[in-house]
Amino acid sequence: GVNEYTFLSYVNMRLVAVYNEDANRQEDADAVQDRTTRTDASNAAHYVQVTFTVGPQYEPNQNSGLIPLDSVLAGQGEFMSNPTQDGETAGMMHACDMWSAGSFAAKATLLERIPPLAQRTDQLCAPVADMCASPLSIPDAFVNFNIPLGIDWFPSPPTTSDLSQNVFVSLVVSAVDTAAQTAGSTPNDGEAALQMKTTLVASIPVVDGGMNIFCDGITAKTDLKDVADV
């Protein structure tokens, strides 16, 4: 919904898992007997998608970007820890800082599961989802930001509906008010601020059926003798 205390509105989160499309191609003894195989759910790429809208007068801060990558934190657990004096939060990882620096441990596997659209020769079932891509412009006022998490990273859903397992994100949104800029606003005189900055903190519970899954499928095996009497 709309948060009256920031310039953001309609904040939403989605948990996304992308399976290995080819993990159901090998037949084992059970597959021959059952004549069906299902995509292996292990080694799935996990990420969280954060979306929100901004007012039409806002544009990304060209100095820091709309979402400064060093501000992006992600974590999991029952509760989100309080930030320390230096702004860090226990148990939260600098996902995008590590991604851009090349120190994200599962980056190669994530890119295999979710390859860039222009480079795809397989995994055609995967979503088009660039990780940690801070938009350079917001023509439709809608922002979609993907945060990489890892391989098989999501915690297992609890057996009860106690919502005890959650995914947390925290990130800064920095924008320029072009309307105030055009009007020659002088914030020191109490007029509208030229630059707007806010911290978005959100969470989503991990529950059965609450995840968006891509590249899942079932392969069926049929012999000629099953359909014809020779």
Side-chain angles (χ1 to χ4, degrees), residues 113-129:
R113 298 285 185 275
I114 318 169
L117 186 60
Q119 302 174 15
R120 290 190 184 182
T121 55
D122 54 13
Q123 283 292 104
L124 300 181
C125 53
V128 179

Side-chain angles (χ1 to χ4, degrees), residues 1 10-15 48-51 73-81 89 92 147 149 153-155 162-171 199-207 210:
Y10 303 106
V11 176
N12 188 45
M13 291 176 63
R14 286 201 312 161
L15 302 179
V48 60
Q49 181 187 70
V50 181
T51 59
L73 299 171
Q76 60 171 268
E78 186 171 2
F79 300 106
M80 183 175 178
S81 303
T89 302
M92 302 281 278
I147 303 173
L149 297 175
W153 187 90
F154 293 140
D162 59 2
L163 306 182
S164 61
Q165 293 298 323
N166 300 273
V167 173
F168 304 98
V169 299
S170 174
L171 55 87
T199 299
L200 186 159
V201 179
S203 66
I204 183 172
V206 180
V207 296

Side-chain angles (χ1 to χ4, degrees), residues 68-75 88 91-108 110 131-132 147-150 153:
L69 298 187
D70 59 359
S71 74
V72 180
L73 299 171
E88 296 295 321
M92 302 281 278
M93 64 175 175
H94 283 272
C96 287
D97 224 10
M98 294 189 297
W99 183 268
S100 60
S103 58
F104 195 95
K107 184 173 182 177
L110 275 161
M131 298 296 127
C132 300
I147 303 173
L149 297 175
W153 187 90

Side-chain angles (χ1 to χ4, degrees), residues 134-195:
S134 181
L136 301 177
S137 62
I138 325 170
D140 55 2
F142 179 79
V143 178
N144 174 15
F145 189 75
N146 300 306
I147 303 173
L149 297 175
I151 302 301
D152 291 339
W153 187 90
F154 293 140
S156 299
T159 55
T160 59
S161 56
D162 59 2
L163 306 182
S164 61
Q165 293 298 323
N166 300 273
V167 173
F168 304 98
V169 299
S170 174
L171 55 87
V172 170
V173 182
S174 180
V176 173
D177 187 336
T178 57
Q181 195 174 49
T182 302
S185 176
T186 52
N188 290 339
D189 294 332
E191 298 178 1
L194 300 179
Q195 180 175 320

